[in-house]
């Protein structure tokens, strides 16, 4: 009797273990009933029919990185490239992932390699280095269309390395060096050109500044000479006015006659002192008086 109880107890325990399934978060388990798809267990506590239902497939719903093996691709200009990359995908349909492909990971990896060769074969060597984003996007698009039947969503593809042959790499380095030397020469010539422009501009501005200075100096000089002439004229006019005013005073006319006579006598004396000069003295001294009178008329102001 005890043996029967123990057997029943053991069967009950096995029954409970077989009927209760706890699915972790971000996982999906595919259940088959008598070899046929029955349903997908979601995270949490689930119950099955013991010995009838079984968990056939277990899938992780997290984003999965898949390393794509390195391979040789030929570009449009017949250059070989060693390319490797990494693919990120996620299981979105557990049922299709179980029955759509015998091994969706291998299928995705092989499809990524063939798609990559196809995309790179349409590009020239230089474009493969410049358009990595375009290559990645085209590979993702090509894989994602086929992966829908496998219950997988391809999120992104990234090229890790593009390695051309050593000869091509050496030629590319020489090309880069030549291009840098060319840009250095252009920059140097532009610098010399700018230097000449700056020198010419400076000389022109200096010439303009000197000419403006000379012009201003000439204007100032002319204005100074004009002011000096005006000052001399004003001084002479004032002197003449004072002389005329002095002549109008009592005895002024006699003083002028005396002064003129003295100057005439001094002039005759200087002429007579010169041995090489012949002095002709007027026979009539009244002519001297007439000369003095004429000088007085010129010196006296007219009313």
């Amino acid at each position: 009797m005890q043996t029967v109880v123990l057997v029943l107890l053991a069967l009950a325990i096995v029954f409970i273990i077989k009927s209760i399934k706890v699915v972790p978060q971000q996982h999906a388990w595919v259940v088959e009933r008598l070899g046929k798809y029955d349903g997908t267990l979601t995270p949490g506590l689930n119950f099955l029919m013991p010995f009838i239902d079984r968990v056939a497939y277990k899938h992780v719903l997290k984003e999965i990185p898949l390393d794509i093996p390195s391979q040789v691709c030929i570009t449009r200009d017949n250059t070989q490239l060693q390319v490797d990359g990494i693919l990120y995908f996620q299981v979105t349909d557990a049922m299709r992932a179980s029955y759509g492909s015998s091994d969706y990971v291998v299928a995705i990896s092989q499809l990524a390699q063939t798609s990559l060769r196809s995309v790179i074969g349409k590009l020239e060597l230089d474009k493969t280095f410049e358009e990595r984003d375009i290559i990645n996007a085209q590979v993702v698009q090509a894989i994602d269309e086929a992966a829908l039947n496998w219950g997988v969503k391809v999120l992104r593809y990234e090229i890790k390395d593009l390695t051309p042959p050593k000869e091509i790499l050496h030629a590319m380095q020489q090309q880069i060096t030549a291009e840098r030397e060319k840009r250095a020469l252009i920059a140097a010539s532009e610098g010399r050109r700018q230097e000449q422009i700056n020198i010419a501009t400076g000389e022109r501005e200096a010439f303009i500044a000197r000419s403006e200075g000379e012009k201003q100096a000439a204007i100032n000089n002319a204005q100074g000479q004009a002011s000096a002439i005006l000052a001399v004229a004003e001084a002479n006019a004032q002197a003449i006015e004072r002389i005329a005013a002095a002549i109008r005073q009592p005895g002024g006319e006699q003083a002028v006659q005396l002064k003129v006579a003295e100057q005439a006598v001094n002039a005759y004396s200087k002429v007579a002192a010169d041995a090489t000069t012949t002095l002709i003295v007027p026979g009539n001294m009244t002519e001297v008086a007439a000369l003095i009178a004429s000088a007085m008329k010129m010196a006296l102001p007219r009313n």
Side-chain angles (χ1 to χ4, degrees):
M1 186 67 180
Q2 293 179 352
T3 303
V4 175
V5 173
L6 291 175
V7 170
L8 293 175
L9 182 60
L11 289 175
I13 293 173
V14 171
F15 184 86
I16 294 173
I17 293 174
K18 289 289 185 178
S19 62
I20 297 175
K21 299 293 180 182
V22 178
V23 180
Q25 184 67 31
Q26 287 295 90
H27 286 70
W29 292 1
V30 174
V31 176
E32 292 180 351
R33 176 167 293 178
L34 299 177
K36 183 181 178 181
Y37 173 75
D38 182 66
T40 302
L41 300 182
T42 58
L45 182 63
N46 297 271
F47 296 94
L48 300 179
M49 294 293 294
F51 307 105
I52 297 176
D53 297 338
R54 74 181 184 92
V55 177
Y57 301 96
K58 295 181 179 180
H59 299 286
V60 178
L61 303 182
K62 299 176 183 180
E63 183 177 338
I64 301 173
L66 177 61
D67 190 23
I68 305 301
S70 178
Q71 62 176 333
V72 176
C73 301
I74 300 177
T75 63
R76 185 177 179 182
D77 50 357
N78 296 324
T79 303
Q80 294 183 353
L81 285 176
Q82 193 77 20
V83 186
D84 60 349
I86 185 168
L87 182 70
Y88 297 87
F89 70 94
Q90 186 177 21
V91 175
T92 57
D93 191 332
M95 190 271 288
R96 288 189 178 185
S98 301
Y99 303 106
S101 175
S102 60
D103 191 341
Y104 61 85
V105 175
V106 175
I108 291 174
S109 177
Q110 294 296 322
L111 186 57
Q113 288 181 308
T114 57
S115 300
L116 181 62
R117 287 196 297 266
S118 176
V119 172
I120 291 182
K122 299 176 183 178
L123 300 174
E124 296 181 353
L125 177 62
D126 294 339
K127 294 296 182 180
T128 58
F129 295 99
E130 299 173 1
E131 300 181 358
R132 286 196 176 192
D133 293 338
I134 297 177
I135 296 174
N136 296 336
Q138 291 181 356
V139 171
V140 170
Q141 182 180 2
I143 301 174
D144 199 35
E145 292 176 357
L148 289 176
N149 296 326
W150 305 334
V152 176
K153 173 67 176 177
V154 177
L155 302 177
R156 59 188 179 277
Y157 176 81
E158 297 290 341
I159 294 177
K160 292 194 297 184
D161 192 16
L162 284 172
T163 307
K166 293 182 180 180
E167 297 79 7
I168 300 298
L169 184 60
H170 182 66
M172 292 174 63
Q173 291 176 347
Q174 289 181 337
Q175 182 180 3
I176 294 173
T177 302
E179 184 66 24
R180 289 179 177 175
E181 291 177 352
K182 174 184 175 182
R183 284 184 288 182
L185 292 174
I186 293 174
S189 63
E190 288 292 334
R192 289 193 296 269
R193 174 175 173 270
Q194 189 62 42
E195 180 184 4
Q196 296 297 326
I197 292 174
N198 293 338
I199 292 174
T201 303
E203 292 178 350
R204 183 184 66 182
E205 293 177 354
F207 178 78
I208 293 173
R210 286 195 299 269
S211 63
E212 290 292 335
E214 293 174 354
K215 173 184 175 182
Q216 190 63 40
I219 293 173
N220 294 339
N221 189 21
Q223 291 177 350
Q225 292 179 356
S227 299
I229 293 172
L230 181 61
V232 171
E234 290 178 353
N236 291 333
Q238 292 178 0
I240 292 172
E241 289 178 357
R242 292 182 180 180
I243 292 172
I247 292 174
R248 294 191 190 98
Q249 298 296 324
E253 183 175 353
Q254 290 79 6
V256 171
Q257 291 178 357
L258 178 61
K259 186 66 176 178
V260 172
E262 289 179 354
Q263 291 179 354
V265 172
N266 290 333
Y268 277 112
S269 299
K270 292 180 180 178
V271 173
D274 191 356
T276 60
T277 302
T278 303
L279 179 62
I280 300 174
V281 180
N284 188 2
M285 293 303 295
T286 58
E287 295 179 0
V288 177
L291 179 61
I292 294 172
S294 299
M296 286 296 298
K297 291 180 179 180
M298 295 178 64
L300 291 174
R302 297 178 181 178
N303 294 327

